[in-house]
Amino acid sequence: RKEVEQDPGPFNVPEGATVAFNCTYSNSASQSFFWYRQDCRKEPKLLMSVYSSGNEDGRFTAQLNRASQYISLLIRDSKLSDSATYLCVVTPSSGGSYIPTFGRGTSLIVHP
Amino acid sequence: NAGVTQTPKFRVLKTGQSMTLLCAQDMNHEYMYWYRQDPGMGLRLIHYSVGEGTTAKGEVPDGYNVSRLKKQNFLLGLESAAPSQTSVYFCASSVPWQTNSPLHFGNGTRLTVT
């Protein structure tokens, strides 16, 4: 089983739609969780950290479910500019290894 | 704020040539990483460093060497380039033991080996 798994998509949605992605992780000792956005093989850019209590940034909401070991990203009122690949990143907290693990990304296409 | 800077941005090599990619960060981060990204493969960790003078192998280290002589710089070397090393290379840095401290990426180096 991969350490961090994401549905590669693509998710093809109309403008204005609400779309949600999940990301599962296998290391229960993970301590930090992030969503990154990547456009067309440019560098990944931090979209938002994911906090235990869940957090919101405008149209984006991230949640963490430690019991089921997944994080989610909800995008409301999708814009054409939201089209990108969304990467899930998980950092462990134990064993002296803090090397982040990336999912392979979920592709989102927002169409008019 | 410069953040993480990679040079060069583009390079074309012939098979067998060598080159060094430079990554520099000005955030005093302890950890630095080199990734490669190929279509459909996601980011794959080549080598990483947990501090000045240290390096370690990642997921796909073969054909690459690295050095971290100074804390702010992490060099990735290709001794004898192969077409299979055609890829986009990203450098990143972080302080991962700080909860919710993210990775910061450079702009990438697009390498073609013919």
Side-chain angles (χ1 to χ4, degrees):
Chain A
R1 179 184 173 186
K2 282 188 172 292
E3 292 185 46
V4 177
E5 292 199 56
Q6 296 182 250
D7 181 343
F11 286 64
N12 205 319
V13 303
E15 273 186 290
T18 295
V19 62
F21 312 134
N22 280 346
C23 167
T24 59
Y25 61 94
S26 59
N27 185 347
S28 61
S30 299
Q31 69 166 12
S32 298
F33 308 86
F34 308 96
W35 283 104
Y36 279 74
R37 171 195 169 123
Q38 187 175 28
D39 295 284
C40 200
R41 299 184 88 198
K42 292 188 177 179
E43 77 275 19
K45 293 186 177 178
L46 179 66
L47 180 65
M48 57 198 304
S49 301
V50 186
Y51 302 124
S52 297
S53 55
N55 47 300
E56 189 174 305
D57 182 2
R59 298 181 292 108
F60 299 86
T61 300
Q63 292 195 316
L64 167 62
N65 185 318
R66 284 193 183 273
S68 301
Q69 294 183 202
Y70 74 87
I71 65 173
S72 63
L73 177 68
L74 180 78
I75 305 175
R76 291 181 298 277
D77 188 22
S78 298
K79 312 291 185 190
L80 295 177
S81 57
D82 293 334
S83 297
T85 297
Y86 291 83
L87 304 173
C88 165
V89 184
V90 176
T91 301
S93 62
S94 66
S97 170
Y98 297 99
I99 305 304
T101 301
F102 284 77
R104 292 176 66 169
T106 297
S107 175
L108 172 65
I109 300 170
V110 182
H111 59 82
Chain B
N1 293 335
V4 179
T5 304
Q6 285 182 238
T7 54
K9 288 183 169 40
F10 302 93
R11 187 71 186 269
V12 178
L13 288 179
K14 294 184 177 179
T15 298
Q17 287 184 320
S18 63
M19 76 165 294
T20 300
L21 283 66
L22 171 63
C23 177
Q25 53 98 2
D26 62 2
M27 296 171 285
N28 201 36
H29 285 173
E30 289 293 333
Y31 278 45
M32 296 186 74
Y33 318 82
W34 275 107
Y35 294 91
R36 62 176 287 173
Q37 188 173 38
D38 303 293
M41 295 297 292
L43 285 160
R44 292 186 291 170
L45 183 63
I46 304 171
H47 286 279
Y48 64 96
S49 167
V50 302
E52 181 178 312
T54 74
T55 62
K57 294 180 179 180
E59 181 186 354
V60 288
D62 294 342
Y64 305 95
N65 57 74
V66 287
S67 64
R68 184 116 180 256
L69 298 179
K70 293 183 178 181
K71 185 176 184 179
Q72 63 266 34
N73 296 336
F74 194 29
L75 279 63
L76 178 71
L78 286 73
E79 290 185 345
S80 180
S84 61
Q85 294 177 304
T86 294
S87 189
V88 180
Y89 293 85
F90 291 107
C91 175
S93 70
S94 73
V95 185
W97 57 82
Q98 293 179 357
T99 303
N100 296 320
S101 176
L103 285 89
H104 297 257
F105 282 88
N107 290 340
T109 297
R110 282 143 187 83
L111 175 65
T112 301
V113 183
T114 62

